Amino acid sequence: MPSEPSAHDGHPRLRHLKDQLTEHHRRAKAEREEAELEEAIETAAFDLGTDIAHPAPDHAEAAYDIDTDIGVDPR
């Protein structure tokens, strides 16, 4: 047997206010998560040479050969 609706649920203005607050909360949470993700991306530092490359002695100026590291045969 379904529970009885609250007296507040039946009033159109209160229902509208509840819906607005729910939507505001959803948007605020999404904006906060997006801002946190953007900050994490901005502060994430990496060094391409360290992250994916292996030092290549014959490439002193770059210290790595990207084609070798990703398995591409340069043409």
Side-chain angles (χ1 to χ4, degrees):
M1 179 163 102
S3 63
E4 286 188 31
S6 164
H8 299 294
D9 290 339
H11 195 284
R13 289 184 183 170
L14 290 177
R15 189 173 339 121
H16 179 70
L17 179 60
K18 177 184 172 188
D19 292 344
Q20 283 183 320
L21 287 172
T22 300
E23 178 60 17
H24 172 76
H25 176 73
R26 186 199 62 75
R27 275 189 269 130
K29 181 179 178 185
E31 288 172 8
R32 185 176 56 248
E33 289 172 351
E34 186 174 332
E36 290 171 356
L37 181 58
E38 286 176 9
E39 182 179 345
I41 290 169
E42 289 174 4
T43 59
F46 69 93
D47 175 4
L48 182 62
T50 300
D51 292 343
I52 67 167
H54 304 287
D58 57 334
H59 292 89
E61 66 279 353
Y64 63 89
D65 178 0
I66 193 73
D67 291 329
T68 300
D69 293 335
I70 63 173
V72 174
D73 184 24
R75 295 179 194 248

